[in-house]
Amino acid sequence: MSPMHMPWYARSVFTAGRPLVLVAALVMSVPGEIRMAELAGWHGWITWLMPVSISAYAACAAVISDVRRRAKAPGRVTATIGAGLALGLALAAQVVAHLIDRGYMATSAVLVAVVSAVPPLVVAHMLHMAATPPASVTAEQRIAELEESLLLMALQLGEALDLEGRVLLSKIHGVKNSLDELTQAAEELAQENEDLAEEIAEELAVAKVTERAPRQKARAKKAVPLAVVKEAVAAMKAEGAKVSGPALADRLGCSVRSGYRYLGEVQAA
């Protein structure tokens, strides 16, 4: 459960309980560690520095180990080992101090040597952790991550440009094909228009010739000599046929109107 979703009393314990427990545990560890310093031969105010050398050192080593583990920085293994050893020393100091106070065991040369070696070991390990440059290593890692990110972005950009280029090329081919089809259709339409214009011109020429021929024929029919008309009228009278405009037109092969006109010309002569 996230701290943001905890009830208020749980959040209060989560927030304030951890430092309270840490302080209480450190305070309870102080007497035993002071007792161990006295058994090792230290006296006075110096014995109060033993809790700092053990408990505070264990806390510092644990925090440094966690920070370097998260940052993937060098020195996290030795910090973890140091935190474990410091925790073991703090635990052993409490147990041994209480066992000696209760008479279950007595001090010895080995115990004095081990407790006396605690401060220099703590100093050596703290200097080792301080000498490790986590910031520069972290910067190098960030530079490496940045290079990887830039490379990935360059690859993605190249792929995107290649895809866009292919799409654009496909569109260009589509436009070119459409343009070719339109050009071909325009050429076919222009050819059809030319053929249609030629057909219309031919039909108009034929119509003009056809219209001109009847007019010429009609003009030829109109030009019948008066003597021929008189002979036709005389022949009709000799045959005993009725002389009329239609009959005369039928004999001469002209229109009825022309027959009346010819008959009128004969009677007027």
Side-chain angles (χ1 to χ4, degrees), residues 119-134:
L121 291 176
V122 171
V123 171
H125 190 248
M126 291 298 292
L127 290 176
H128 170 72
M129 290 188 295
T132 305

Side-chain angles (χ1 to χ4, degrees), residues 82-231:
L85 292 176
L87 179 61
L89 286 174
L91 178 62
Q94 301 301 317
V95 174
V96 171
H98 288 90
L99 288 176
I100 292 176
D101 287 340
R102 293 300 177 183
Y104 291 104
M105 66 176 294
T107 184
S108 63
V110 176
L111 179 61
V112 172
V114 171
V115 175
S116 299
V118 169
L121 291 176
V122 171
V123 171
H125 190 248
M126 291 298 292
L127 290 176
H128 170 72
M129 290 188 295
T132 305
S136 61
V137 174
T138 303
E140 293 176 358
Q141 291 179 350
R142 289 180 179 177
I143 291 174
E145 293 176 356
L146 181 60
E147 291 177 352
E148 293 178 359
S149 300
L150 291 176
L151 179 60
L152 180 60
M153 292 174 61
L155 292 176
Q156 292 178 350
L157 180 60
E159 293 177 357
L161 291 176
D162 181 64
L163 180 60
E164 291 296 331
R166 292 182 180 180
V167 172
L168 182 60
L169 185 61
S170 176
K171 291 181 179 180
I172 291 174
H173 283 304
V175 172
K176 184 177 179 299
N177 293 334
S178 300
L179 183 60
D180 293 340
E181 293 177 358
L182 290 175
T183 303
Q184 184 178 359
E187 292 177 354
E188 293 177 356
L189 183 61
Q191 186 64 36
E192 291 178 359
N193 290 335
E194 291 179 359
D195 296 341
L196 181 61
E198 291 179 358
E199 291 179 359
I200 293 174
E202 291 177 357
E203 292 178 358
L204 289 176
V206 171
K208 289 180 180 180
V209 172
T210 304
E211 183 180 1
R212 191 179 302 163
R215 289 181 180 178
Q216 291 176 354
K217 186 176 180 180
R219 290 175 184 173
K221 289 181 179 179
K222 288 180 181 179
V224 177
L226 183 58
V228 175
V229 176
K230 290 181 177 180
E231 291 178 357

